[in-house]
Amino acid sequence: MVFLQVLTPEELSKAQRSVAFGCIKYADLSHNRINDYVFSFDKMLDDRGNTAAYLLYAFTRIRSIARLANIDEATLRKAAETSEVLLDHEKEWKLGKCILRFPEILQKILDDLLLHTLCDYLYELATTFTEFYDSCYCVEKDRQTGEVVKVNMWRMLLCDATAAIMAKGFDILGINPVDRM
């Protein structure tokens, strides 16, 4: 049995504001300021491609994985200190390499002050995460009951690292992410 979780009025309002303001800010910042700017509501609000709507949705998906696994932040922190990260799958490696590029991206935007580089990176991170998530199970559930039977903690740590980098990137861009949409 599948339950649809409805947002509270407060959560809905927060999500609406996050997406609305995020789309406007991201549309401005994702373009190279040296090139001409073309304003487009359709492109700005598209939920596919290099847009705030896509990135914010990807972020909420990542956060929902930990909720599905019923893992809190303290458990993830402890796992980060004690668990071995096994990157056996090619998509795990690809995501891990993308995560490790974040300091390089920060240095680049500090050097040239072109924030579209960060936007491009966040989009690459989100799409790389989607490839990883589509290929690598983080949480395995019983097909009959829907109960969680296995949590791949090293993959949960990759999810958490991705979310943390996205959150920091959003913070730099002045975008307020939400955990639920």
Side-chain angles (χ1 to χ4, degrees), residues 25-35 37 50 55 101 105 108-110 112-124 172-173:
K25 289 177 182 180
Y26 193 84
D28 283 344
L29 297 173
S30 65
H31 294 287
N32 186 335
R33 69 173 189 252
I34 297 169
N35 298 337
Y37 179 81
N50 192 0
L55 293 176
R101 286 190 30 244
I105 298 300
K108 183 166 176 28
I109 64 172
L110 285 171
D112 62 20
L113 302 176
L114 297 173
L115 287 175
H116 74 278
T117 304
L118 177 59
C119 297
D120 291 342
Y121 170 76
L122 291 175
Y123 177 65
E124 178 187 353
I172 292 168
L173 297 173

Side-chain angles (χ1 to χ4, degrees), residues 34-46:
I34 297 169
N35 298 337
D36 289 340
Y37 179 81
V38 178
F39 183 83
S40 168
F41 270 123
D42 293 335
K43 183 171 179 355
M44 183 185 300
L45 300 173
D46 193 352

